[in-house]
């Protein structure tokens, strides 16, 4: 058996001529274990279908070396064929059909178990490696996004494969009510393939979000951002929040935090668009970062107009049209589909309800109205 093990290891070494530092000792132990199991089973012993202890070192070493699975399995099947031929050569008589069937069945069962064990250990090692890499990636990203970040550019390059000096566009992807990692990565790939000459960084996080950065040598043009904003995610239901492009380590942090703020605000809002950007929601994102305080602001600014009833809703609609038309009575009347005199009456009643004139308070009033438009009943008084 020792001689056959040695010869088999030589065959395996010949199968991997380009693999440096082949773990010959662990291969030899695994080979001897497999051959012993076959011999014992052929002699009437119990077939043991797990080889975890013997194969763990070999399998995990192969994963760490990034040796392709198919190459390993092909080598195992080559050894299986060799041993069947060796066993047949030892017979001093022509084996019966039953003996031949028994030999083929036992060797197949043992090698199937070997392959299953190898694949299990190999994949476990790969998963642990990926988990470790993800931990480092998250830690590096979190360090970069800290307010007092002093992360070295070379560390970022080695851990994230990213040139931090470039221009960065941060996105946050999520699937409301679901943990959908694969679907989020599909959408991220869809957005990435629509761009040119950029680097992509994906970091899945615990709360079901996928953090994404697209990094460019030069700041992306406005039409590029607009194109991304108009994309429809390839997976229905996935939402995308997008920051504004900015450069360097500070830009990496800024664009990402903008996207996170937008994602947080959108989840509490009436916004139905699948892709929402910081540039179009920045005021609401800042004002609505705390819904309770946003509600206080709306109530203090609008008074009775902040009530959740039809009369207040009509007054708010009229007031918003009036402010956005630069206080034009004619344009407001057209937008509201009523006569000019009706608008004059409504504006007078609105100012009475507000207990203050509109003109000197229009910025405050407009912000409050926009908060209601964005967050709906969540910032109204019931």
């Amino acid at each position: 058996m020792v001689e056959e093990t040695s010869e088999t290891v030589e065959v395996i070494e010949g199968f991997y001529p380009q693999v440096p530092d082949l773990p010959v000792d662990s291969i030899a132990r695994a080979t001897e274990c497999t051959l012993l199991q076959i011999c014992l089973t052929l002699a009437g012993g119990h077939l043991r279908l797990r080889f975890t202890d013997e194969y763990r070192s070999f399998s995990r070493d192969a994963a760490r070396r990034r040796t392709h699975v198919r190459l390993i399995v092909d080598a195992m099947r080559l050894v299986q064929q060799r041993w069947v031929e060796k066993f047949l050569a030892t017979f001093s008589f022509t084996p019966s059909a039953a003996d031949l069937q028994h030999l083929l069945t036992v060797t197949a069962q043992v090698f199937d178990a070997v392959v299953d064990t190898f694949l299990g250990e190999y994949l476990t090692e790969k998963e642990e490696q990926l988990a470790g890499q993800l931990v480092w990636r998250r830690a590096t990203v979190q360090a970069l996004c800290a307010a007092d970040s002093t992360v070295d550019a070379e560390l970022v390059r080695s851990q994230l494969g990213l040139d931090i000096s470039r221009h960065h566009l941060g996105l946050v992807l999520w699937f409301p009510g679901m943990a959908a990692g694969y679907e989020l990565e599909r959408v991220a790939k869809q957005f990435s393939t629509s761009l040119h000459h950029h680097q992509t960084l994906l970091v899945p996080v615990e709360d079901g979000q996928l953090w994404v950065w697209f990094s460019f040598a030069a700041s992306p043009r406005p039409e590029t951002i607009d194109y991304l904003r108009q994309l429809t995610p390839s997976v229905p239901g996935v939402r995308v929040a997008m920051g504004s492009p900015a450069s360097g380590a500070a830009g990496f942090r800024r664009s990402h935090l903008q996207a996170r703020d937008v994602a947080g605000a959108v989840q509490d809002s009436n916004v139905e668009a699948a892709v929402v950007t910081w540039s179009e929601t920045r005021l609401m994102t800042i004002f609505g970062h705390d819904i309770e305080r946003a509600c206080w602001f709306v109530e203090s600014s609008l008074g009775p107009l902040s009530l959740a009833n039809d009369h207040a809703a009509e007054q708010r609609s009229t007031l918003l049209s009036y402010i956005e038309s630069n206080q034009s009575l004619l344009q407001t009347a057209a937008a509201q589909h009523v006569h000019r005199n009706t608008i004059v009456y409504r504006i007078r009643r609105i100012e009475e309800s507000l207990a203050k004139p509109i003109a000197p308070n229009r910025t405050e009033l407009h912000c409050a109205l926009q908060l209601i438009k964005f967050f709906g009943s969540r910032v109204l008084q019931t």
Side-chain angles (χ1 to χ4, degrees):
M1 181 176 295
V2 173
E3 181 180 351
E4 176 56 32
T5 297
S6 178
E7 291 178 2
T8 300
V9 170
E10 290 181 5
V11 171
I12 294 174
E13 286 183 285
F15 196 77
Y16 300 106
Q18 298 179 340
V19 177
D21 301 323
L22 198 67
V24 175
D25 290 343
S26 62
I27 291 175
R29 287 193 296 271
T31 300
E32 186 175 11
C33 170
T34 305
L35 182 56
L36 179 61
Q37 180 62 53
I38 292 175
C39 292
L40 290 174
T41 306
L42 288 174
H46 176 67
L47 179 62
R48 183 161 58 97
L49 295 179
R50 294 292 294 174
F51 299 83
T52 303
D53 292 340
E54 293 83 356
Y55 275 84
R56 178 176 286 112
S57 174
F58 167 70
S59 304
R60 297 201 169 214
D61 181 77
R64 287 189 288 269
R65 291 168 176 268
R66 300 182 180 179
T67 306
H68 198 283
V69 169
R70 173 50 56 190
L71 192 62
I72 302 290
V73 174
D74 285 349
M76 290 179 177
R77 294 307 183 187
L78 179 67
V79 172
Q80 178 183 353
Q81 179 182 350
R82 168 188 168 85
W83 285 355
V84 168
E85 293 173 353
K86 286 279 188 175
F87 278 116
L88 289 175
T90 62
F91 286 114
S92 58
F93 57 90
T94 302
S96 66
D99 289 336
L100 184 59
Q101 180 66 42
H102 182 54
L103 171 62
L104 295 176
T105 298
V106 168
T107 53
Q109 287 178 331
V110 170
F111 272 94
D112 285 349
V114 167
V115 170
D116 287 345
T117 300
F118 165 75
L119 291 176
E121 293 294 335
Y122 186 98
L123 293 176
T124 297
E125 177 66 24
K126 280 293 186 183
E127 289 173 359
E128 291 176 359
Q129 288 179 8
L130 290 174
Q133 292 169 5
L134 183 56
V135 168
W136 274 104
R137 183 174 295 184
R138 285 176 181 166
T140 304
V141 162
Q142 289 168 349
L144 271 171
C145 292
D148 55 349
S149 175
T150 57
V151 177
D152 180 71
E154 285 306 314
L155 177 63
V156 174
R157 192 186 302 273
S158 64
Q159 293 294 337
L160 304 180
L162 190 71
D163 182 352
I164 198 62
S165 67
R166 291 161 66 94
H167 297 259
H168 310 285
L169 177 64
L171 294 83
V172 171
L173 282 66
W174 75 100
F175 204 139
M178 296 181 64
Y182 174 68
E183 286 80 1
L184 298 182
E185 290 187 10
R186 280 180 55 191
V187 175
K189 183 177 181 181
Q190 171 199 3
F191 276 58
S192 179
T193 54
S194 68
L195 301 170
H196 302 286
H197 310 299
H198 69 286
Q199 296 174 325
T200 301
L201 172 64
L202 306 181
V203 180
V205 292
E206 291 85 350
D207 60 0
Q209 292 184 342
L210 178 66
W211 294 349
V212 181
W213 285 264
F214 297 135
S215 298
F216 308 84
S219 183
R221 299 172 63 85
E223 51 265 35
T224 300
I225 304 302
D226 192 54
Y227 175 77
L228 291 176
R229 186 178 63 81
Q230 296 182 52
L231 281 177
T232 299
S234 55
V235 179
V238 170
R239 308 292 299 275
V240 181
M242 190 160 60
S244 296
S247 63
F252 180 94
R253 174 178 181 269
R254 172 178 170 176
S255 189
H256 170 66
L257 293 182
Q258 288 175 347
R260 285 175 61 181
D261 285 347
V262 171
V266 165
Q267 292 181 65
D268 292 323
S269 76
N270 292 333
V271 175
E272 297 181 356
V275 182
V276 185
T277 67
W278 164 264
S279 60
E280 61 187 333
T281 61
R282 55 190 172 219
L283 183 62
M284 295 306 100
T285 298
I286 293 171
F287 271 93
H289 192 68
D290 185 316
I291 289 294
E292 183 179 26
R293 285 167 174 76
C295 187
W296 296 345
F297 175 78
V298 168
E299 182 183 16
S300 65
S301 300
L302 297 179
L305 271 68
S306 66
L307 293 173
N309 59 46
D310 292 342
H311 178 63
E314 180 186 81
Q315 288 188 310
R316 290 194 300 270
S317 177
T318 299
L319 179 57
L320 182 60
S321 296
Y322 185 62
I323 291 174
E324 292 188 342
S325 67
N326 200 25
Q327 299 175 232
S328 167
L329 293 172
L330 289 176
Q331 291 182 36
T332 304
Q336 294 292 308
H337 307 290
V338 297
H339 193 273
R340 176 184 178 280
N341 290 343
T342 301
I343 297 301
V344 172
Y345 172 76
R346 286 186 186 178
I347 294 300
R348 184 169 65 247
R349 294 300 302 271
I350 288 171
E351 290 189 323
E352 290 174 358
S353 296
L354 293 173
K356 58 188 176 185
I358 293 172
N361 297 286
R362 58 180 294 171
T363 300
E364 175 190 347
L365 295 172
H366 195 209
C367 287
L369 292 168
Q370 288 294 338
L371 281 170
I372 295 172
K373 184 178 179 180
F374 195 82
F375 293 105
S377 61
R378 293 177 62 85
V379 293
L380 293 177
Q381 303 300 310
T382 57

